[in-house]
Amino acid sequence: MNDMTQPELMHGHHGPARGITRWIYTTNHKDIGTLYLWFSFAMFLIGGCMALVIRSELFQPGLQLVQPEFFNQMTTMHGLIMVFGAVMPAFVGLANWMIPLMVGAPDMALPRMNNLSFWILPFAFAMLLSTLLMEGGGPNFGWTFYAPLSTTYAPPSVTFFIFSVHMMGISSIMGAINVIATILNMRAPGMTMMKMPLFVWTWLITAFLLIAVMPVLAGVITMMLMDIHFGTSFFDAGGGGDPVLFQHLFWFFGHPEVYIMILPAFGIISHIVPTFSRKRLFGYASMVYATASIALLSFVVWAHHMFTVGLPLAGELFFMYSTMLIAVPTGVKVFNWISTMFRGAISFETPMLFAIGFIVLFTIGGFSGLMLAISPADFQYHDTYFVVAHFHYVLVPGAVFSIIAGAYYWLPKWTGHMYDERLGQWHFWLSMVGVNLTFFPMHFIGLAGMPRRIPDYALQFADFNMIASIGGFLFGFSQLLFLYIVIKCVKGGQKAEDKPWEGAEGLEWQVASPAPYHTFAQPPRID
Amino acid sequence: MKDQNPHKTTVSKLVLATLGMFLFGFLLVPLYDVFCDITGLNGKVSNTAYVEKEGFTIDPNRKVTVQFLTNTNANMNWLFEAEARSIQVHPGELTRVSFSVVNPSLKRMTAQAVPSVSPSEGAEYLLKTQCFCFEQQELNPGASQQMTLLFRVDPQLPDHISTLTLAYTLFDISSTRPVSSIAERPGTYSGFPAATDSLFTSQSLLISHAQTLRLAGGY
């Protein structure tokens, strides 16, 4: 122990500061993790309300509730808020809470930057949401903000949108730098790279992806800003630019981005499945290599989002085959989880239920992804509800289920109380039914040709849309049950042991429940 | 202080990587253009006149259909038409097609035509020795103009291509360009001012002009 950590030790003797300033000035990784998680839950509910506006309008054919202009703003904001406001901050929150505990570090490497990277988010999203009240309305060009819709034809509020996305990007990059520095420099003595828990591994790779692509996103929106305000023509064909260039740049960011939203989920599932199967994870090393290969492949597949822009045949084939190749490492992961469960002494507590739900439904999403990867078939599926079904299957029962599973899994450690298991089971089954009712019919209406992002549809799609809307409300309102369960667990409940799950492994279970404000001031010994 | 040092190096490396990727994003813009120019992907065709080489043999046994599409961008109210929607040419044969534009508005406007060839595989075989798309068009209110396109189809056009479609989209660039800057063309590399290109452009204009004269004499 050297002299730098002494003041922190001294500080550790008194707990957190009292009142609101605790949260504003905090540099404690657990406080910041909590802030991230509550923030992302708030965004999840706001984005969910927007989804319910969309589903209400699509309950019946014809225009009933909202104008098409507002509908476009809802689809756009729903996507932006869920991607940048709900899923990404939730994973950063879990990283803040769990990575120092898992690697035996006293805190994140850069605690003050950690505070900053959280606290710019509320301002970014307040600005993004405020555009809905501005003249001309909020962003209405889809979450992918293709030029020229987002430049020449954008509402005036697009400048606020650009600024808020810049802020989100800066926040993500700072978070990623913090995660990498923590993992590379602050592991407890004896914890070699190949002894790191998988959540740490997947987050390390995710953080490198963030560093690689968030700056490209920043570059794209800077080019948009220059096209709109400074007379350049990056994306304006009249001035020598090219709108297709926008799509290439966007998806160069966008495809690694979808793995940023799923790799930490793989990590969480790789913790929960062994715990409740009471077996070691099958194929640890192959999991690490599979994660790394998915990350590397994510840089060479971006144009599968743009099969219909007029790629040359060679391009169509290259991006088709490279996309299909991703199914191999992903398959390795799914088989590893199944092999872990095979002949295990499985019990079905809520985290395990969500984890199994994740494996089954994420695999369905993976298969529809393979269907979309077939370039000639994609010409039919492109921009239909089939695409909507696909990416919701990988994001809702994928990323979101894994976050919920992780929350249930670590809630005893965070709060010191067990959550209400009976309500947790209800939450799972309501979510499971709701999610499938919502998104499964979208496969059918997509294959039948219903286009996405349109507030009205042909009569033959009416029944499936009605089912999807009912499912959407069921899923949405079940999340209020989750909110209730979490609050109940924070307030009280059965006292949690230090290691509440029989089969759990890892340093996080060696500290008390609830985890003390300062942990691992003395690094633990790893054998 | 020993504890701080590894963070410092890690963080400075990561910050450098971030800045590097930000610049790389911008670098992708010229890279994309170069890539498209080299491969002819995206239906992009050369923005400069084709410099004639001697010894094109006209292939009288083969006929290629060349279609012309004339579009105007959403905010553009000019009337824009080709004298023929579709013609048949022998590969290697020099062909002249005339396009007409009318400015029906009440103000002086500048236009830029942006070409695109499909199938994109055939783009590099459509050789334009003179094209109005190399220049900007400036028209007084109510004025009209005939614009010339001189082109050959390269006899090396792959056999499976029997039809080439040349699509022009006419953009209103009055607001983005000073009205008198007719000698300038928009930058090849999107986003950057075209001033450095103008010398090069006027040269290639001269060359194409000289060629036109020479060809006209030879006809």
Side-chain angles (χ1 to χ4, degrees):
Chain A
M1 190 92 304
N2 61 48
D3 53 356
M4 270 313 288
T5 43
Q6 281 306 323
E8 278 181 50
L9 269 183
M10 300 290 285
H11 182 66
H13 288 289
H14 26 257
R18 298 202 157 270
I20 184 81
T21 51
R22 165 184 174 180
W23 300 105
I24 295 174
Y25 299 143
T26 185
T27 53
N28 180 288
H29 73 101
K30 300 183 185 81
D31 280 355
I32 292 172
T34 306
L35 285 171
Y36 264 113
L37 287 169
W38 278 114
F39 174 79
S40 80
F41 195 76
M43 286 295 133
F44 182 57
L45 293 185
I46 292 174
C49 290
M50 292 170 177
L52 293 187
V53 172
I54 296 167
R55 282 313 331 161
S56 306
E57 177 56 52
L58 294 176
F59 187 71
Q60 284 184 343
L63 292 178
Q64 285 90 25
L65 295 169
V66 294
Q67 293 303 306
E69 294 78 14
F70 189 69
F71 184 89
N72 290 345
Q73 293 171 39
M74 284 295 102
T75 51
T76 307
M77 292 290 262
H78 165 72
L80 289 169
I81 285 179
M82 286 305 197
V83 168
F84 294 104
V87 173
M88 288 170 70
F91 281 132
V92 181
L94 291 171
N96 260 295
W97 247 105
M98 301 318 298
I99 287 177
L101 287 180
M102 286 177 168
V103 301
D107 205 308
M108 295 293 278
L110 308 148
R112 284 164 201 252
M113 195 170 85
N114 207 6
N115 174 291
L116 179 62
S117 66
F118 171 76
W119 275 109
I120 57 181
L121 277 185
F123 295 96
F125 282 92
M127 191 188 312
L128 183 62
L129 285 168
S130 72
T131 58
L132 286 174
L133 308 172
M134 291 179 188
E135 206 176 317
N140 54 7
F141 27 70
W143 87 274
T144 52
F145 50 97
Y146 280 5
L149 276 180
S150 59
T151 52
T152 315
Y153 305 103
S157 65
V158 67
T159 311
F160 291 88
F161 156 81
I162 291 173
F163 192 40
S164 66
V165 175
H166 265 136
M167 285 164 76
M168 295 167 205
I170 291 168
S171 162
S172 295
I173 290 168
M174 290 197 295
I177 290 177
N178 220 337
V179 165
I180 296 175
T182 309
I183 297 174
L184 292 186
N185 299 336
M186 295 179 68
R187 275 169 291 134
M191 180 169 284
T192 57
M193 293 299 270
M194 289 313 276
K195 275 187 187 168
M196 290 196 315
L198 265 174
F199 182 66
V200 179
W201 252 118
T202 52
W203 238 112
L204 180 67
I205 292 167
T206 303
F208 276 112
L209 284 182
L210 280 167
I211 300 268
V213 299
M214 291 311 276
V216 176
L217 174 70
V220 178
I221 55 178
T222 308
M223 290 176 209
M224 275 171 59
L225 188 77
M226 290 163 78
D227 271 10
I228 295 168
H229 292 294
F230 306 124
T232 59
S233 332
F234 285 102
F235 308 129
D236 177 12
D242 189 341
V244 177
L245 172 67
F246 175 89
Q247 298 186 27
H248 281 291
L249 292 178
F250 178 83
W251 286 114
F252 184 82
F253 146 80
H255 201 77
E257 166 71 15
V258 306
Y259 293 117
I260 287 166
M261 291 191 286
I262 204 64
L263 293 184
F266 292 162
I268 295 169
I269 299 305
S270 304
H271 282 252
I272 293 174
V273 168
T275 296
F276 294 96
S277 307
R278 290 164 184 80
K279 275 177 67 190
R280 289 184 69 111
L281 180 71
F282 183 89
Y284 169 88
S286 66
M287 284 296 211
V288 173
Y289 294 128
T291 311
S293 21
I294 291 174
L296 289 176
L297 282 173
S298 75
F299 286 101
V300 292
V301 297
W302 76 89
H304 67 213
H305 296 272
M306 334 167 21
F307 277 147
T308 59
V309 298
L311 294 179
L313 186 62
E316 302 268 345
L317 289 173
F318 172 78
F319 287 109
M320 175 167 96
Y321 289 128
S322 60
T323 303
M324 290 178 165
L325 203 56
I326 294 187
V328 177
T330 314
V332 167
K333 286 179 163 293
V334 172
F335 285 121
N336 279 347
W337 291 321
I338 294 172
S339 308
T340 307
M341 285 192 277
F342 182 66
R343 304 188 76 173
I346 305 181
S347 58
F348 296 94
E349 284 89 343
T350 311
M352 186 60 167
L353 286 177
F354 274 102
I356 295 173
F358 169 94
I359 296 172
V360 174
L361 299 184
F362 178 80
T363 306
I364 292 179
F367 279 130
S368 57
L370 272 177
M371 289 173 70
L372 287 163
I374 304 168
S375 160
D378 182 74
F379 277 69
Q380 167 72 15
Y381 308 150
H382 187 85
D383 260 346
T384 67
Y385 260 78
F386 191 77
V387 178
V388 178
H390 158 69
F391 68 72
H392 280 93
Y393 257 85
V394 288
L395 282 175
V396 185
V400 173
F401 267 27
S402 81
I403 294 164
I404 294 174
Y408 278 114
Y409 184 57
W410 287 308
L411 260 178
K413 182 56 62 189
W414 298 340
T415 64
H417 305 121
M418 298 305 286
Y419 60 87
D420 187 326
E421 182 62 45
R422 195 177 51 89
L423 289 181
Q425 305 259 338
W426 268 99
H427 176 218
F428 170 73
W429 286 110
L430 289 173
S431 299
M432 185 76 177
V433 171
V435 118
N436 283 298
L437 271 185
T438 314
F439 299 117
F440 210 79
M442 290 184 186
H443 290 114
F444 307 137
I445 48 180
L447 291 178
M450 177 169 160
R452 64 190 282 210
R453 291 173 171 158
I454 307 284
D456 191 6
Y457 49 84
L459 286 179
Q460 66 266 33
F461 305 131
D463 291 348
F464 278 136
N465 267 295
M466 189 177 278
I467 295 171
S469 291
I470 293 169
F473 275 87
L474 178 65
F475 178 76
F477 281 97
S478 331
Q479 304 321 306
L480 294 178
L481 179 61
F482 181 46
L483 178 64
Y484 172 74
I485 296 170
V486 172
I487 291 175
K488 194 176 166 207
C489 180
V490 172
K491 295 259 181 215
Q494 188 200 329
K495 184 92 188 68
E497 294 164 30
D498 291 356
K499 196 178 103 166
W501 312 116
E502 188 193 347
E505 278 186 49
L507 288 177
E508 75 259 39
W509 308 111
Q510 293 180 11
V511 301
S513 291
Y517 201 55
H518 295 286
T519 40
F520 295 128
Q522 296 283 350
R525 274 221 46 81
I526 319 279
D527 307 316
Chain B
M1 287 318 283
K2 223 173 65 192
D3 220 7
Q4 289 291 76
N5 281 335
H7 291 335
K8 233 177 221 169
T9 38
T10 315
V11 171
S12 36
K13 277 182 203 162
L14 292 172
V15 169
L16 272 181
T18 306
L19 292 177
M21 286 309 292
F22 185 70
L23 291 179
F24 178 68
F26 281 85
L27 194 65
L28 284 172
V29 178
L31 280 179
Y32 172 78
D33 272 340
V34 170
F35 188 73
C36 288
D37 274 349
I38 293 172
T39 55
L41 298 187
N42 204 13
K44 273 209 174 185
V45 280
S46 172
N47 239 0
T48 49
Y50 175 71
V51 182
E52 285 282 339
K53 282 178 281 201
E54 293 300 324
F56 263 127
T57 47
I58 297 174
D59 182 354
N61 300 323
R62 189 173 168 200
K63 278 197 165 180
V64 176
T65 306
V66 183
Q67 300 174 325
F68 301 102
L69 292 178
T70 50
N71 303 310
T72 50
N73 191 31
N75 298 328
M76 186 58 168
N77 55 4
W78 286 19
L79 307 175
F80 178 33
E81 266 183 354
E83 66 179 351
R85 287 175 143 213
S86 165
I87 54 171
Q88 293 214 318
V89 297
H90 296 294
E93 164 187 38
L94 187 72
T95 312
R96 172 193 291 268
V97 182
S98 178
F99 290 72
S100 63
V101 275
V102 181
N103 175 7
S105 73
L106 296 175
K107 57 182 199 286
R108 189 170 169 82
M109 287 170 76
T110 312
Q112 168 76 48
V114 176
S116 170
V117 175
S118 56
S120 55
E121 192 189 348
E124 58 180 305
Y125 301 99
L126 192 80
L127 311 171
K128 290 180 285 185
T129 50
Q130 189 195 347
C131 177
F132 55 92
C133 58
F134 301 150
E135 302 155 44
Q136 297 175 353
Q137 280 71 42
E138 202 176 337
L139 284 187
N140 281 322
S144 66
Q145 189 180 334
Q146 292 292 316
M147 309 184 298
T148 308
L149 165 71
L150 270 176
F151 74 96
R152 289 178 201 276
V153 173
D154 192 326
Q156 284 162 4
L157 180 76
D159 284 337
H160 64 270
I161 300 179
S162 58
T163 305
L164 286 172
T165 307
L166 176 55
Y168 283 108
T169 307
L170 202 62
F171 287 80
D172 173 16
I173 54 166
S174 318
S175 56
T176 51
R177 295 281 149 182
V179 176
S180 55
S181 69
I182 203 157
E184 271 183 27
R185 82 190 156 111
T188 318
Y189 300 138
S190 44
F192 300 109
T196 49
D197 283 349
S198 59
L199 185 68
F200 171 64
T201 310
S202 45
Q203 260 177 355
S204 64
L205 278 179
L206 279 177
I207 292 168
S208 71
H209 199 63
Q211 276 167 354
T212 317
L213 289 175
R214 185 168 59 81
L215 288 166
Y219 246 84

